[in-house]
């Protein structure tokens, strides 16, 4: 099976604006439609992969997406998720901080993919 790679770099795009369809929802749908998609988290988006508690509600809005819950769903659906150590370091995430189970440390090799998309 030929796989595709989605790269997400921006870890925050506005809460209320993305409450109905955030970027990880798009990754989930592309994975379903294409029959396989891998995800590379870069920039501040690497914080999605940190094994921490759920994101709490903001100022009376309780329909906001939880990126860690979305990432757990993607992992359960077979999406391979990678994070580069350099981006973890740049975001201030120490090397001993646990990542969500299934997330791989290390940069994805773009040459392994049929196409690479920045979302």
């Amino acid at each position: 099976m030929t796989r595709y790679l989605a790269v997400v770099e921006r870890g925050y795009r506005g809460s209320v604006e993305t409450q109905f369809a955030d970027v990880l929802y798009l990754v989930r749908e592309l994975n379903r439609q294409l029959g396989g998609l891998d995800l590379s988290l870069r920039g501040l988006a690497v914080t999605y992969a940190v094994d921490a508690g759920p994101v709490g509600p903001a100022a009376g809005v309780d329909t906001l997406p939880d990126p860690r819950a979305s990432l757990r769903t993607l992992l359960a659906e077979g999406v391979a998720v990678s994070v580069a150590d350099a981006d973890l370091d740049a975001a201030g995430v120490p090397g001993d901080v646990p990542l969500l189970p299934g997330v791989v440390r290390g940069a994805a090799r773009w040459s392994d993919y049929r196409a690479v998309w920045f979302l």
Side-chain angles (χ1 to χ4, degrees), residues 24-64:
L24 295 180
Y25 181 84
L26 174 61
V27 169
R28 185 175 185 204
E29 187 60 23
L30 288 172
N31 179 55
R32 186 187 67 77
Q33 290 184 20
L34 296 171
L37 181 77
D38 292 347
L39 175 62
S40 175
L41 297 175
R42 295 177 31 172
L44 290 178
V46 299
T47 61
Y48 291 173
V50 173
D51 194 2
V55 176
V61 181
D62 59 0
T63 58
L64 303 179

Side-chain angles (χ1 to χ4, degrees), residues 47-114:
T47 61
Y48 291 173
V50 173
D51 194 2
V55 176
V61 181
D62 59 0
T63 58
L64 303 179
D66 179 348
R68 290 185 184 104
S70 298
L71 200 56
R72 285 183 181 97
T73 299
L74 289 169
L75 289 161
E77 292 176 353
V79 174
V81 179
S82 63
V83 295
D85 288 321
D87 289 308
L88 288 167
D89 291 341
V93 179
D96 60 346
V97 169
L99 301 180
L100 294 174
V103 173
V104 176
R105 288 182 186 261
R109 288 178 18 149
W110 294 5
S111 61
D112 292 344
Y113 295 93
R114 179 175 181 183

